[in-house]
Amino acid sequence: MKVFKFGGASVKDANGVKNVVRVLEKTGFSDLIIVISAMGKTTNALEKVVELYLKNSSELKGAIHNVQQYHTIILETLFDNKQHVVFKKINRLFKDMETTLSRNKSTQYDYIYDQVVCYGELIATTIVSEYLNQQGYENKWLDARDFIKTDTTYRDAEVDWEITQRSIQKKVNTKGLSVTQGFIASDKNNFTTTLGREGSDYTAGIFAYCLNADSVSIWKDVPGVLNADPRVFSITHLLSHVSYEEAIELAFYGASVIHPKTIQPLQRKEIPLYVKSFLNPADEGTSVKKGQPLDPYLPCYIVKKDQILLSLSSLDFSFIVEDKISEIFSFFHQYHLKVDLIQSSAISFSVCLDDKFDHFDVLIMKLKAKFRVTYNKNVCLYTIRHFTEEAVRSLEQDKDILLKQITRETYQMVVKE
């Protein structure tokens, strides 16, 4: 069996949903699990709902209505019969979301976030599943929360692999066609958790690992894995072949085409990953497999915006050594800040951080009690894998560089945006 993942861009409107069917008509419907993300920018819209709910804003109902109206337009385009069961199912999901908010007693943002944002995936998969049925492609709709079990780290949950594998192997039929959600899971109390933003790729990897799939295909609006983000760089090249190791490196440094956690379960069982265009499904795209050299071999550029450059030094000018570094990293772990670059000297320690949970301001108060602290917010981290002198020279041009670091295969610099 195979696992396909379609992201939000691929199902952003009715034509996108119809195109998913066209892709499947070319690739086959049997022995397939399809993982679907929330449609278009729905996750962003639901994040706004959470924000307005916590503010007790009068605009909350309007924000929910806007999300519902967006999906209603898609429904009315795909289904001529307004009495189709899908309309009731989607209305029920929106009522469930409103009930969840009305009954909620928690003030914890991350928990509320997961209980609300999950509806984007639930709604999207319901629409796709019912449209497939209407087109004559019978399928089973699966609630990913019944299968993928995690801890209670809301918004960035850790998978309990033993329970998850047992559940998926026992309950999921690898024959026929199934549709499920990316990104979402549940904890031991059946409260919804999420696997981190853009975590639908990871969901595909989890199902593939647990079911010993033949392959995973991620369908994108780009031809495959490119050596640079086309939204940032005017000239890009398709990478035809990438090894698991190289893909993990690229994902770690921030390449957005593959979720960082996706590769690891696939690598353990040597399950091939394909990144292909849903606009041109017959094209080769990119294959990610064991041991294959990067082809073509050329510099790969990665850009991460909205980073924080943090520099620490001892209040008494003592050395920053193992015990202090250990303490610093325990703070990063506690406040869920991801470290993307490290540079240290005898009395100073600098890191480039990704503060995706907005915990940095709280962390700073803790650090100031122990260290001399300086930082720059809204900096940009550039990384070049397999850099050349020409690539570095071109990238550095006209930039205000705050820090740079070079290793054998990787060049990084932090610049003011």
Side-chain angles (χ1 to χ4, degrees), residues 127-304:
I127 293 173
V128 172
S129 175
E130 290 296 340
Y131 184 70
L132 283 165
N133 282 329
Q134 177 180 262
Q135 298 305 112
Y137 302 111
E138 185 178 346
N139 66 92
K140 184 171 180 58
W141 184 88
L142 306 175
D143 189 332
R145 298 172 299 181
D146 293 338
F147 305 98
I148 301 178
K149 292 297 180 177
T150 70
D151 65 5
T152 56
T153 308
Y154 299 106
R155 290 183 69 198
D156 196 21
E158 289 289 330
V159 174
D160 185 321
W161 282 96
E162 183 178 347
I163 296 176
T164 296
Q165 183 162 354
R166 189 164 61 241
S167 178
I168 289 176
Q169 290 180 344
K170 181 179 180 180
K171 300 176 184 176
V172 176
N173 183 4
T174 58
K175 301 298 181 182
L177 177 65
S178 298
V179 177
T180 194
Q181 308 77 36
F183 180 56
I184 69 174
S186 68
D187 63 20
K188 65 181 180 180
N189 295 313
N190 292 324
F191 291 115
T192 303
T193 58
T194 59
L195 304 175
R197 194 68 193 270
E198 309 298 336
S200 293
D201 293 358
Y202 187 31
T203 301
I206 293 167
F207 273 97
Y209 176 88
C210 294
L211 295 173
N212 298 308
D214 291 332
S215 65
V216 172
S217 296
I218 297 174
W219 298 90
K220 309 281 288 188
D221 56 357
V222 291
V225 179
L226 304 176
N227 76 318
D229 188 336
R231 296 169 295 184
V232 180
F233 295 89
S234 57
I235 300 175
T236 61
H237 301 278
L238 175 67
L239 303 175
S240 298
H241 299 140
V242 181
S243 67
Y244 290 124
E245 294 80 0
E246 186 66 37
I248 289 172
E249 291 282 1
L250 292 172
F252 173 80
Y253 287 117
S256 60
V257 75
I258 304 173
H259 189 276
K261 295 180 181 178
T262 303
I263 305 298
Q264 292 163 341
L266 301 182
Q267 182 186 29
R268 289 201 293 270
K269 290 191 176 180
E270 298 184 10
I271 299 171
L273 170 68
Y274 300 98
V275 182
K276 305 185 71 171
S277 168
F278 60 74
L279 301 174
N280 300 291
D283 290 355
E284 288 292 326
T286 301
S287 69
V288 182
K289 297 179 181 178
K290 178 183 178 181
Q292 60 182 6
L294 184 67
D295 181 27
Y297 188 87
L298 40 70
C300 298
Y301 302 83
I302 303 156
V303 183
K304 293 194 75 173

Side-chain angles (χ1 to χ4, degrees), residues 75 79 81 83-92 123 126-128 130-131:
L75 282 170
F79 301 91
N81 179 11
Q83 301 305 312
H84 193 287
V85 67
V86 70
F87 288 90
K88 291 182 179 179
K89 287 185 175 182
I90 298 305
N91 284 334
R92 192 180 305 125
I123 292 164
T126 300
I127 293 173
V128 172
E130 290 296 340
Y131 184 70

Side-chain angles (χ1 to χ4, degrees), residues 12 28 60 69 117 122 130 154 187 190 209 286 292 313 349-350 355 357 413-414:
K12 66 181 179 181
L60 175 62
Q69 187 61 27
V117 170
L122 295 170
E130 290 296 340
Y154 299 106
D187 63 20
N190 292 324
Y209 176 88
T286 301
Q292 60 182 6
S313 57
F349 182 81
S350 296
D355 181 27
F357 295 114
M413 69 174 181
V414 179

